Amino acid sequence: MLELRLVQGSLLKKVMEAIKDLVTDANFDCSATGFSLQAMDSSHVALVSLLLRSEGFEHYRCDRNLSMGMNLNNISKMLKCAGNDDIITLKADDGSDTVTFMFESPTQDKIADFEMKLMDIESEHLGIPEAEYHAIVRMPSSEFARICKDLSSIGDTVVISVTKEGVKFSTRGDIGTANVVCRQNTTVDKPEEATIIEMNEPVSLTFALRYMNSFTKASPLSSTVTISLSSELPVVVEYKIAEMGYIRFYLAPKIEEDEEDNNS
Amino acid sequence: MLELRLVQGSLLKKVMEAIKDLVTDANFDCSATGFSLQAMDSSHVALVSLLLRSEGFEHYRCDRNLSMGMNLNNISKMLKCAGNDDIITLKADDGSDTVTFMFESPTQDKIADFEMKLMDIESEHLGIPEAEYHAIVRMPSSEFARICKDLSSIGDTVVISVTKEGVKFSTRGDIGTANVVCRQNTTVDKPEEATIIEMNEPVSLTFALRYMNSFTKASPLSSTVTISLSSELPVVVEYKIAEMGYIRFYLAPKIEEDEEDNNS
DNA sequence: ACGTAACTGA
DNA sequence: TCAGTTACGT
């Protein structure tokens, strides 16, 4: 028997909106620890990892580990039927091949439940090793989203270069080149507006902007984003989910044939 | 060496949005006087003339006259990457075939630069003689825009007729006819809401609404628009740019085979 | 600001 | 004839 009650239902809505562009079908894994998902995007280039810890739920009951295959678009359709202030409860009986989403309006005047068939989805669950990163950048998620969107009107790939002074996002395309430099800046009044750079070693890596722009769909989940970079490792773009966990996107860097793209 | 620093960057964004529907490529001319452009629209019917005087820039350095050919769509793409509060600096080295747009966020924490290749564009720079106009109408730019948009859902052309009492915009189409009369009105509290008519001689001219609607894209630049009319002369639709200059659109009147369009 | 619809160029 | 681009409406 599975029963997860999430008071802040809008959070689940945002999570699905953030993932559904990237992943069409995925297994949601429930254990005593929490509710999690790991899935490759449809072209097997990027990886999404979601964790909602059990402590973040108002009520969390998961008698035994359960993996539920669902179509993200269908979930998203159902969640569109939930109000932003609704309390969402997810239920599944042991051995059942369905899952039920229940939406309670804050006033309890309206209760909706949606039952959905589960799917069999094969997936390799990859162990993602904790790694040491050459550089970790934390910045406002809206700013990162804006930069990725802007640069994608110029080029297809972004070179992210980190030095002690700041982080530089560069692209080039038919119409010219673009560089956006964000200086390290810890002095702002509000910590969520700071740009903080932890750097052990300068690093410069190239990524497809298409994926970066997909990742930034998670911006509503957190006011800040953390970008962890190491040469030869996939970048990690992480959005913390308050009190509950995170959503992390992994993307392998492009190998540059044309190293001049890395010049300033 | 060219270096123009414009604190109110949104102004340049608006200027480009106003022109780019009409003109695809154009030469931007820089001299000690200021930054200007003159270009025909792609179908060679309308003419755009832009002037941003050097005094309007926070910093203006232009060692020698320079004509920079650019694709307006590409400029527009780059300017979309500038925030509305950004300070925009335009730079070009002598003899260089590129131009650089630099955007500084108000806090100086984010600095973006965009380099763009210049193009060779042939253009005849027309001398536009100062003319005496039969009638000059000044009215709120939003009202003029609204009238042009409304009339274009009825017909393709507008007859603008000026008498002492007011200005009349007329059209006719398959579904019927439409007339909008704006009375002279100087008594409003706010001068930018006034409709002022200076008339030496009544005048009635016909224009293609398609172009008028393009011209009204400049409405965000100024709360008022000035329409100068003379028979046998192109109309001038002018939007003043505060403290800096103007953007003027010229359009030749249609020669009416069918004079009944001019009747009230 | 986004999505659609119409137009133009290939 | 189709696709890309551009303009308009929501």
Side-chain angles (χ1 to χ4, degrees):
Chain A
M1 168 92 187
L2 177 82
E3 195 171 301
L4 320 185
R5 184 176 161 93
L6 184 63
V7 175
Q8 200 188 341
S10 61
L11 208 137
L12 199 61
K13 294 176 63 139
K14 287 179 195 161
V15 163
M16 288 308 155
E17 289 307 306
I19 307 179
K20 76 162 207 279
D21 284 356
L22 222 45
V23 180
T24 53
D25 304 304
N27 284 312
F28 290 80
D29 300 313
C30 298
S31 72
T33 319
F35 184 75
S36 68
L37 166 151
Q38 198 191 84
M40 300 290 287
D41 83 292
S42 20
S43 50
H44 268 242
V45 174
L47 185 124
V48 186
S49 172
L50 166 75
L51 173 64
L52 300 176
R53 283 185 212 94
S54 51
E55 306 92 84
F57 292 84
E58 195 212 19
H59 172 72
Y60 192 97
R61 174 175 170 188
C62 176
D63 298 347
R64 53 191 194 79
N65 289 3
L66 202 58
S67 186
M68 298 181 293
M70 294 189 246
N71 174 289
L72 284 265
N73 268 312
N74 293 344
I75 302 178
S76 180
K77 271 184 196 164
M78 292 202 169
L79 290 177
K80 286 232 172 70
C81 305
N84 270 326
D85 301 325
D86 283 5
I87 297 164
I88 297 182
T89 305
L90 207 149
K91 285 185 198 176
D93 287 322
D94 286 334
S96 165
D97 65 342
T98 63
V99 63
T100 300
F101 290 84
M102 196 174 87
F103 310 144
E104 299 166 65
S105 72
T107 57
Q108 301 284 324
D109 291 331
K110 180 173 140 198
I111 296 178
D113 63 89
F114 294 77
E115 191 174 297
M116 203 173 75
K117 262 237 162 63
L118 293 174
M119 317 163 61
D120 264 323
I121 298 164
E122 55 182 316
S123 68
E124 345 78 285
H125 196 95
L126 311 168
I128 301 165
E130 282 289 319
E132 276 295 307
Y133 286 92
H134 292 166
I136 299 176
V137 177
R138 199 180 94 202
M139 64 190 291
S141 57
S142 57
E143 194 164 322
F144 178 62
R146 175 70 199 263
I147 291 168
C148 290
K149 180 175 146 276
D150 284 352
L151 292 191
S152 60
S153 77
I154 312 287
D156 299 328
T157 58
V158 58
V159 181
I160 306 181
S161 316
V162 184
T163 62
K164 262 211 182 60
E165 287 70 42
V167 52
K168 187 174 74 177
F169 304 88
S170 310
T171 193
R172 78 187 315 150
D174 295 341
I175 70 167
T177 64
N179 301 286
V180 180
V181 177
C182 298
R183 281 174 38 204
Q184 158 129 257
N185 164 18
T186 55
T187 59
V188 260
D189 303 341
K190 299 170 189 164
E192 67 268 26
E193 287 174 9
T195 298
I196 297 163
I197 293 164
E198 287 173 45
M199 194 199 74
N200 302 316
E201 210 176 300
V203 61
S204 179
L205 294 164
T206 306
F207 303 98
L209 277 167
R210 190 192 138 200
Y211 291 101
M212 286 292 171
N213 275 316
S214 281
F215 301 167
T216 61
K217 296 273 155 63
S219 300
L221 283 164
S222 173
S223 56
T224 60
V225 61
T226 308
I227 305 158
S228 306
L229 300 139
S230 264
S231 34
E232 317 297 320
L233 269 187
V235 64
V236 187
V237 179
E238 170 173 332
Y239 297 84
K240 288 240 186 311
I241 300 170
E243 321 290 328
M244 292 205 73
Y246 56 77
I247 180 165
R248 288 179 188 155
F249 301 96
Y250 296 81
L251 179 64
K254 289 205 159 200
I255 309 305
E256 290 283 309
E257 290 118 57
D258 195 350
E259 277 297 323
E260 77 193 14
D261 281 7
N262 284 343
N263 297 345
S264 46
Chain B
M1 167 90 187
L2 177 82
E3 196 170 300
L4 319 186
R5 185 176 161 94
L6 184 64
V7 175
Q8 199 188 341
S10 60
L11 208 136
L12 199 62
K13 294 177 62 138
K14 287 178 195 162
V15 164
M16 289 306 155
E17 289 306 307
I19 308 180
K20 77 160 207 279
D21 284 358
L22 222 43
V23 180
T24 53
D25 303 303
N27 284 313
F28 289 80
D29 299 312
C30 298
S31 71
T33 319
F35 185 75
S36 68
L37 166 150
Q38 200 192 83
M40 300 291 288
D41 84 292
S42 19
S43 48
H44 268 241
V45 174
L47 185 124
V48 186
S49 173
L50 166 75
L51 173 65
L52 300 175
R53 285 185 211 93
S54 52
E55 305 92 83
F57 292 83
E58 196 212 17
H59 171 71
Y60 191 97
R61 175 175 169 186
C62 176
D63 297 347
R64 53 192 195 81
N65 289 3
L66 202 59
S67 185
M68 299 182 292
M70 295 190 245
N71 174 289
L72 284 265
N73 267 313
N74 292 346
I75 300 178
S76 178
K77 265 187 197 168
M78 294 203 165
L79 290 177
K80 285 231 174 71
C81 305
N84 270 325
D85 301 325
D86 282 6
I87 298 164
I88 298 182
T89 305
L90 207 149
K91 284 184 198 178
D93 287 321
D94 286 333
S96 164
D97 64 343
T98 63
V99 62
T100 299
F101 289 85
M102 196 174 90
F103 310 144
E104 297 166 70
S105 72
T107 56
Q108 301 283 324
D109 289 329
K110 181 173 144 192
I111 296 177
D113 63 88
F114 295 76
E115 191 174 297
M116 203 173 73
K117 260 237 165 64
L118 294 173
M119 319 164 58
D120 266 323
I121 298 165
E122 55 182 318
S123 68
E124 345 78 286
H125 196 96
L126 312 167
I128 301 165
E130 282 289 318
E132 276 295 307
Y133 287 93
H134 292 165
I136 299 177
V137 177
R138 199 181 93 202
M139 63 189 293
S141 58
S142 57
E143 195 166 322
F144 177 62
R146 177 65 198 266
I147 291 167
C148 291
K149 180 174 147 274
D150 285 352
L151 294 191
S152 62
S153 74
I154 313 288
D156 299 329
T157 59
V158 59
V159 182
I160 307 182
S161 315
V162 184
T163 61
K164 262 210 182 59
E165 287 70 43
V167 53
K168 187 175 73 178
F169 302 89
S170 312
T171 193
R172 78 187 316 149
D174 296 340
I175 68 166
T177 64
N179 299 288
V180 180
V181 178
C182 298
R183 280 175 42 205
Q184 160 128 257
N185 164 17
T186 55
T187 60
V188 260
D189 302 341
K190 298 171 192 166
E192 67 267 24
E193 287 174 7
T195 297
I196 297 163
I197 292 164
E198 286 172 46
M199 194 199 75
N200 302 317
E201 213 176 298
V203 61
S204 179
L205 295 164
T206 306
F207 303 97
L209 276 167
R210 191 192 137 196
Y211 291 100
M212 286 293 172
N213 275 316
S214 281
F215 301 167
T216 62
K217 294 274 152 66
S219 300
L221 282 165
S222 173
S223 56
T224 61
V225 61
T226 308
I227 305 158
S228 306
L229 300 138
S230 265
S231 33
E232 316 299 319
L233 269 186
V235 64
V236 187
V237 179
E238 170 173 332
Y239 297 83
K240 289 239 186 311
I241 300 170
E243 322 290 327
M244 292 205 76
Y246 56 76
I247 180 165
R248 287 179 189 153
F249 302 97
Y250 296 82
L251 179 65
K254 290 206 160 200
I255 309 305
E256 289 286 306
E257 290 117 57
D258 194 351
E259 277 297 323
E260 77 192 15
D261 279 9
N262 283 344
N263 298 343
S264 42

